[in-house]
Every structure is written in structure tokens, then in C-alpha cells.
Amino acid sequence: MSGHVLKLRSDLAAKIQAHGMQTYPHECCGAILGREADGSREVLALLPLANRRDDSPRNRFEVTPGDVQLAEKMAREKKVELIGWYHSHPDAPAKPSEFDREHAWPWYSYVIVSVRAGQPREMNSWRLQDDRAGYDSEAIESPPRPASI
Amino acid sequence: MAVKVMIPTPLRAYAGKQESVDISATTVGEALRGLTDQYADLKKHLYSDDGRLRSFVNVYVNDEDIRYAQKDQTPVRDGDTVSIVPSIAGGRKN
């Protein structure tokens, strides 16, 4: 374990699950906005985005650089940071694939929700290691008090 | 005088925690080489093992995508801004 913690309110977790159900059997994706202070990272808002991989949406997702810039702009306007990304794995575990690893950067939180037969299952968060060799698991905790922007 | 290379938030830890780095260069390729010579830990996150820019890494001179210009030979002038913007991609196993 890495010691990384991502605070994610239950209503925001439910929003990720609902997005994964809505797009099933295709992958969903979106941006995660939040704050990081004293080593603690908290999700404050989500920005659901369109999966641009029209050719293979069942097992791939893509957020275009234009959508990345849109998410960065929204984060600046809300005075928060773009801290990561979420996507679903339809009928597959909530673990990063080799394809995920090849297309990731460190620092971002990568939240993956497994959706099986249209129903959301486990949700995990991951951080790419500095040497790109693999991922560290990031514990998801539900904060006791609501926080929002 | 130099070009300003904007460092995306996830990679700032590998560039002295700076938001931007000024580099003297005449092409984008030179600017990125100058950046990764100065901050070697950045290289693996921008380039694959074969030395090519990773497929999800997009580079802009001011607002122009270099893929639609002259790629790494795209000329840069003093005062230009070079931005590095990722595409976010992934997905489950086949």
C-alpha cells in the first residue's frame, strides 16, 4: 500500500457508478476536481465527459486534449485542481490494465468502477508509480462531513 | 529570450515544482530536449522507450497542435508558449 488516500463522498461515488451504469456496456469517463492539502486529497466535484473512442467504446475510453483543457478551465474557475480521472471497466475488475498503464501519468488519481451485467461493483483508485512500472493503490474513504464547491 | 514551456500539474514534481520553464530553442523538438536535459526525470513520462513522444502526449505552440504543423521541427520564436496537454486514455483488457 502506498498510503495515498482519496476522500470521496458517497453521493459523488454514486454519481460515478450511475455514469458507468448509464453507458454500459460501453466505458464511461470523466474528470475529478478537488483539493489536496497536507497529503490528503478530497474530491469536490465531477465532470462527466463523452467517451471519444467511438471505434471501441466497450473496452477503451479517451478524453481528448480539448476536453482535458475544458476540465482544467473548470477547475481554475472553481479554484480547485484537476486531481484525476474516472472510468468504468464493463464486465472486468476495477484494476488498471496494461493499456491504462501505458497511457497514464503519475500524480493523477485514476478511479475505476467495475460494472458487471449493468450493475456497479467495486470501485478502486490508483496512482501510477514514478518509474511507470505499476500502480499504487489509493484508499477511498468517505468523508464524515459534506464538502462541496 | 526564450520560449516558455508550461508544465502540466502532474509533472511539476519532476521539474522543480515549477509551472513553467524558460528554454532557449528554435524548434519545439529543441525546446522539449532542452527541458528533458534539464529535468531528466520528465523524459519517461513524455517519451516512450523508442524515443518517440508518447501517443497520449499532445504539444501545442501557442494554440497550434504541432501534429498539424511540422511536428518536432515546428519553429518557435522568443516569447512563444509551448503547452503539454495529455489525452486521457485507457480501458479494460480485451
Side-chain angles (χ1 to χ4, degrees):
Chain A
M1 290 293 291
S2 62
H4 294 306
V5 173
L6 183 69
K7 295 178 181 174
L8 176 65
R9 278 181 0 232
S10 57
D11 60 310
L12 292 174
K15 200 170 163 184
I16 294 174
Q17 292 173 325
H19 194 191
M21 290 168 69
Q22 181 197 332
T23 61
Y24 181 89
H26 296 173
E27 298 200 3
C28 73
C29 54
I32 300 173
L33 310 185
R35 285 201 187 95
E36 184 170 56
D38 304 325
S40 172
R41 187 172 270 195
E42 180 163 12
V43 180
L44 297 174
L46 300 169
L47 176 63
L49 292 164
N51 181 357
R52 305 292 187 181
R53 276 299 295 266
D54 295 335
D55 59 321
S56 189
R58 285 171 181 258
N59 66 346
R60 293 285 182 261
F61 81 94
E62 182 171 353
V63 176
T64 62
D67 283 345
V68 172
Q69 288 170 313
L70 176 77
E72 287 174 343
K73 181 169 179 279
M74 179 177 275
R76 280 195 301 274
E77 287 172 357
K78 291 177 178 289
K79 300 190 189 316
V80 295
E81 286 188 275
L82 173 57
I83 58 172
W85 303 92
Y86 71 85
H87 71 281
S88 61
H89 278 183
D91 299 316
K95 288 182 180 175
S97 65
E98 179 62 15
F99 190 83
D100 286 330
R101 188 185 66 78
E102 288 171 0
H103 293 80
W105 271 348
W107 190 85
Y108 280 142
S109 294
Y110 291 95
V111 171
I112 303 175
V113 60
S114 171
V115 183
R116 292 184 185 272
Q119 295 303 309
R121 299 296 175 91
E122 79 274 13
M123 184 184 294
N124 296 312
S125 186
W126 306 88
R127 299 254 207 126
L128 185 71
Q129 293 166 354
D130 283 341
D131 61 3
R132 306 188 62 83
Y135 284 85
D136 290 324
S137 171
E138 180 174 61
I140 296 178
E141 290 181 358
S142 192
R145 286 186 296 121
S148 61
I149 53 173
Chain B
M1 290 293 285
V3 298
K4 185 184 288 286
V5 182
M6 303 302 296
I7 310 298
T9 306
L11 301 186
R12 285 180 194 160
Y14 310 99
K17 299 184 178 177
Q18 299 176 87
E19 287 186 20
S20 65
V21 177
D22 291 340
I23 304 278
S24 292
T26 58
T27 65
V28 171
E30 271 183 34
L32 294 178
R33 266 195 303 280
L35 178 70
T36 53
D37 284 350
Q38 203 171 329
Y39 298 103
D41 289 343
L42 274 176
K43 197 167 183 178
K44 59 183 174 293
H45 301 301
L46 298 178
Y47 293 93
S48 51
D49 292 342
D50 63 6
R52 298 167 66 135
L53 206 58
R54 289 186 179 277
S55 60
F56 69 95
V57 174
N58 308 280
V59 179
Y60 298 81
V61 175
N62 302 322
D63 287 327
E64 185 173 19
D65 187 336
I66 64 165
R67 285 197 182 92
Y68 302 105
Q70 296 171 56
K71 301 182 179 171
D72 63 349
Q73 292 302 309
T74 304
V76 290
R77 296 178 185 170
D78 286 351
D80 279 349
T81 298
V82 174
S83 304
I84 301 165
V85 181
S87 308
I88 305 302
R92 66 174 169 87
K93 289 177 186 172
N94 289 321

